[in-house]
């Protein structure tokens, strides 16, 4: 009985040491980053495809009017592929760095010692993550632009539905894609007005595209939150490596 209790106690202590060495901040940030990037890239890619279809169907009759927009959309879709791959690898690397600088590494490999290489690596991660957070803040702001466009379009459609009894007034309510830079100024028709616009807003393509852009915007926000969390955790890990490493205290972020 004593031997069995001793084994259970050893197993319990081992589990507690393992759980105590988990970099929870980095783990949470990784989950946030994966979910945010999946939302942003998946929904953003499909939303761009649907946007091209809406512009082609309702706002432009000539291929030359929206060919530039089609090339830009294709370019951004390739950028999305690259972003998804890069963030997947970078999040894995940051999570591995978080595990390396936890007390679990100390318990596994003996007394913890911070080296010049380790401190240099941690400081590099801090700078890279900070720069990525600043750049992603710009992406987050830009991802709000299509949401703003579709919000204005939805608000105009709602106004048209309210004023259906006065057709002369609703024909003056328009959404001009040329004003947002989506089409050149010589594009025909370039805009949708009145009941035509209202019918566009009731289509499945419009509703799905609007929701996809909202989801992509939310994904960009989640990714930004993950990068900020990574910045905090990597900064903390560097502080531990620099100031507390020689005392045998492992980072827990």
């Amino acid at each position: 009985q004593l031997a069995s209790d001793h084994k259970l106690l050893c197993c319990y202590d081992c589990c507690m040491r393992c759980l105590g060495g988990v970099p929870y901040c980095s783990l949470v940030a990784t989950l946030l980053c994966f979910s945010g990037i999946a939302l942003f890239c998946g929904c953003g890619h499909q939303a761009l495809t649907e946007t091209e279809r809406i512009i082609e169907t309702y706002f432009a009759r000539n291929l030359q009017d929206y060919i530039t927009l089609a090339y830009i959309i294709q370019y951004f879709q390739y950028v999305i592929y690259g972003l998804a791959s890069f963030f997947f690898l970078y999040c894995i690397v940051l999570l591995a760095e978080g595990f390396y600088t936890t007390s679990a590494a100390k318990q596994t490999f003996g007394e913890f010692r911070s080296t010049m290489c380790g401190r240099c690596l941690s400081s590099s991660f801090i700078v890279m993550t900070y720069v990525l957070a600043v750049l992603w803040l710009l992406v987050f702001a830009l991802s709000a632009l299509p949401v703003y466009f579709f919000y204005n379009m939805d608000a105009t459609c709602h106004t048209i539905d309210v004023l259906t009894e006065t057709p002369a007034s609703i024909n003056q309510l328009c959404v001009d894609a040329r004003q947002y830079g989506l089409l050149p100024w010589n594009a025909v028709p370039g805009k949708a007005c009145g009941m035509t616009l209202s019918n566009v807003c009731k289509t499945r393509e419009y509703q799905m595209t609007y929701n996809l852009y909202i989801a992509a915007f939310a994904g960009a926000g989640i990714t930004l939150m993950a990068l900020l969390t990574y910045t905090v955790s990597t900064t903390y890990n560097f502080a531990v490596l620099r100031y507390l490493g020689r005392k045998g205290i492992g980072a827990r972020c």
Side-chain angles (χ1 to χ4, degrees):
Q1 181 67 28
L2 290 176
S4 178
D5 292 342
H6 179 70
K7 289 181 180 180
L8 289 175
L9 183 61
C10 289
C11 290
Y12 176 79
D13 291 339
C14 181
C15 290
M16 289 299 100
R17 285 196 299 270
C18 290
L19 290 176
V22 172
Y24 292 104
C25 294
S26 297
L27 186 60
V28 170
T30 301
L31 294 176
L32 286 175
C33 189
F34 282 166
S35 59
I37 285 296
L39 269 178
F40 178 78
C41 293
C43 295
H45 182 278
Q46 186 61 31
L48 289 172
T49 302
E50 295 297 330
T51 300
E52 182 181 358
R53 186 175 294 120
I54 290 174
I55 295 295
E56 176 185 358
T57 305
Y58 301 104
F59 291 91
R61 297 172 184 169
N62 191 349
L63 175 63
Q64 298 301 321
D65 290 339
Y66 65 90
I67 189 66
T68 302
L69 177 65
Y71 283 134
I72 293 175
I73 287 177
Q74 187 178 23
Y75 170 77
F76 275 114
Q77 287 176 333
Y78 284 127
V79 170
I80 285 175
Y81 298 146
L83 282 175
S85 302
F86 170 77
F87 273 96
F88 176 79
L89 295 176
Y90 190 69
C91 290
I92 292 296
V93 170
L94 286 181
L95 182 61
E97 193 266 348
F99 269 106
Y100 176 75
T101 52
T102 54
S103 57
K106 168 195 167 185
Q107 294 165 2
T108 302
F109 300 106
E111 193 65 22
F112 186 83
R113 288 290 185 272
S114 62
T115 62
M116 181 64 68
C117 180
R119 290 194 297 270
C120 181
L121 188 63
S122 294
S123 61
S124 299
F125 279 129
I126 293 173
V127 175
M128 288 179 61
T129 308
Y130 180 80
V131 171
L132 279 176
V134 173
L135 292 177
W136 197 259
L137 183 62
L138 179 62
V139 174
F140 178 65
L142 292 177
S143 65
L145 295 179
V147 177
Y148 174 74
F149 171 75
F150 278 89
Y151 173 79
N152 284 342
M153 191 171 174
D154 189 69
T156 305
C157 290
H158 178 70
T159 304
I160 292 173
D161 292 337
V162 173
L163 300 176
T164 51
E165 297 180 357
T166 56
S169 300
I170 64 175
N171 288 331
Q172 299 176 1
L173 297 174
C174 303
V175 169
D176 195 336
R178 297 169 297 186
Q179 292 181 339
Y180 296 91
L182 300 178
L183 294 173
W185 283 106
N186 59 352
V188 178
K191 62 181 180 179
C193 302
M195 294 307 299
T196 302
L197 178 61
S198 180
N199 292 332
V200 173
C201 293
K202 294 176 182 177
T203 60
R204 174 183 171 273
E205 291 82 1
Y206 169 80
Q207 296 294 333
M208 182 174 66
T209 306
Y210 190 13
N211 292 331
L212 285 172
Y213 274 124
I214 293 175
F217 177 68
I222 294 173
T223 305
L224 179 61
M225 188 184 305
L227 289 174
L228 294 177
T229 305
Y230 272 132
T231 302
V232 173
S233 70
T234 52
T235 303
Y236 175 79
N237 289 342
F238 176 75
V240 171
L241 285 171
R242 180 66 179 82
Y243 299 108
L244 304 178
R246 294 182 180 179
K247 296 181 180 179
I249 301 177
R252 293 182 179 272
C253 227

